[in-house]
Amino acid sequence: MEKEYKELYAKIDKILEIQELILKRLDDGVVLFKNNHNPSPSSTRKLTKREEQQMKTERLREDIRLSLEYGHQLQRQFNLAVQPHINKIRAYLETKNPSVFDGLKKDN
């Protein structure tokens, strides 16, 4: 019985090591945005109204920053008629695919 417990504890330790490695690699996988605006899947508690408001405010700040930083630059770079919406800017920054701006280009 003692031997079985030791084997079981060894297996549990191995699982915990693997879980820790997986979590570290997941954290390293975030490239574009430093702040993840979605709650983590491991978090099961419901957000308070204040936390939700803080997340919305942080998202709005990030949107404004991206718009100011990249909006006019992308408009000039791709010869767009108007400054692209934040959703188009985010899509371009994630994919680097200029076809995101199709439909916004000036007619020559």
Side-chain angles (χ1 to χ4, degrees), residues 52-67:
E52 286 179 7
Q53 186 63 34
Q54 286 176 343
M55 287 177 59
K56 287 179 185 177
T57 303
E58 185 62 35
R59 175 75 179 211
L60 181 61
R61 285 182 182 153
E62 181 70 14
D63 288 350
I64 291 170
R65 185 189 69 77
L66 287 174
S67 182

Side-chain angles (χ1 to χ4, degrees), residues 3 8 23-24 30 38 45-46 54 59 65 67 70 77 88 91 101 106-107:
K3 183 179 178 182
L8 184 59
L23 291 174
K24 284 181 183 177
V30 178
N38 297 327
R45 71 176 184 87
K46 186 173 180 177
Q54 286 176 343
R59 175 75 179 211
R65 185 189 69 77
S67 182
Y70 294 105
Q77 181 179 351
K88 299 263 186 196
F101 301 118
K106 292 180 184 176
D107 292 331

Side-chain angles (χ1 to χ4, degrees), residues 69-83:
E69 189 173 338
Y70 294 105
H72 291 293
Q73 174 189 347
L74 293 171
Q75 183 179 3
R76 283 190 308 273
Q77 181 179 351
F78 293 104
N79 194 27
L80 305 177
V82 295
Q83 182 175 338

Side-chain angles (χ1 to χ4, degrees), residues 1-32:
M1 188 73 150
E2 183 86 20
K3 183 179 178 182
E4 291 173 351
Y5 282 135
K6 288 183 181 180
E7 288 176 8
L8 184 59
Y9 289 137
K11 288 180 182 179
I12 290 173
D13 289 339
K14 184 69 174 175
I15 290 171
L16 291 175
E17 289 175 14
I18 292 171
Q19 181 183 13
E20 185 177 349
L21 179 65
I22 289 170
L23 291 174
K24 284 181 183 177
R25 289 196 179 165
L26 284 174
D27 287 340
D28 294 341
V30 178
V31 176
L32 181 60

